[in-house]
Amino acid sequence: VELLGLAEVLSDEDLRTVCPVCLKNPLVEVRKNSLENTFNISCPKDCGHILTLPGGISKMLEGIEAQSDLHSKECDGSLFWGQGESHCLLAFCDFCDFCASIP
């Protein structure tokens, strides 16, 4: 019952996916190419354009989960996310030197 009460006070913006880089702002996706189902994903307040990816935010979340699962098999450290120069999302761990990118 408490969860239902909490869900009623949250706005749609509160329920959107938060930027993995700054961990503050909701992400926005804009269709870049309808034939390829490609989307630009950005953090409009702080980080700007993060990456362009077929499938948009849902595919980005799948990639984040896959990299997190892969990393957690070998290390208990936390992954941090950053922007790559070629508009990709980078995962890295300061503890074990894990590094991966999406896409």
Side-chain angles (χ1 to χ4, degrees):
V1 175
E2 288 180 31
L3 262 167
L4 291 174
L6 179 61
E8 290 175 4
V9 266
L10 293 174
S11 69
D12 287 342
E13 187 168 301
D14 294 327
L15 298 174
R16 287 192 278 167
T17 302
V18 173
C19 175
V21 178
C22 68
L23 303 174
K24 295 189 290 186
N25 304 305
L27 292 174
V28 173
E29 69 179 13
V30 176
R31 185 178 299 273
K32 179 181 179 185
N33 184 324
S34 59
L35 294 176
E36 297 174 5
N37 196 32
T38 304
F39 294 85
N40 287 327
I41 301 171
S42 63
C43 171
K45 294 184 181 175
D46 291 326
C47 303
H49 181 257
I50 296 175
L51 74 154
T52 300
L53 189 67
I57 290 175
S58 64
K59 285 295 182 186
M60 182 195 73
L61 292 174
E62 287 177 16
I64 287 173
E65 185 174 345
Q67 295 301 334
S68 298
D69 289 346
L70 180 66
H71 172 255
S72 68
K73 289 178 182 177
E74 302 293 328
C75 179
D76 290 331
S78 296
L79 284 180
F80 297 94
W81 298 89
Q83 292 174 275
E85 291 181 15
S86 60
H87 295 294
C88 62
L89 190 59
L90 298 175
F92 55 95
C93 175
D94 291 336
F95 186 71
C96 71
D97 293 330
F98 177 90
C99 186
S101 68
I102 300 169

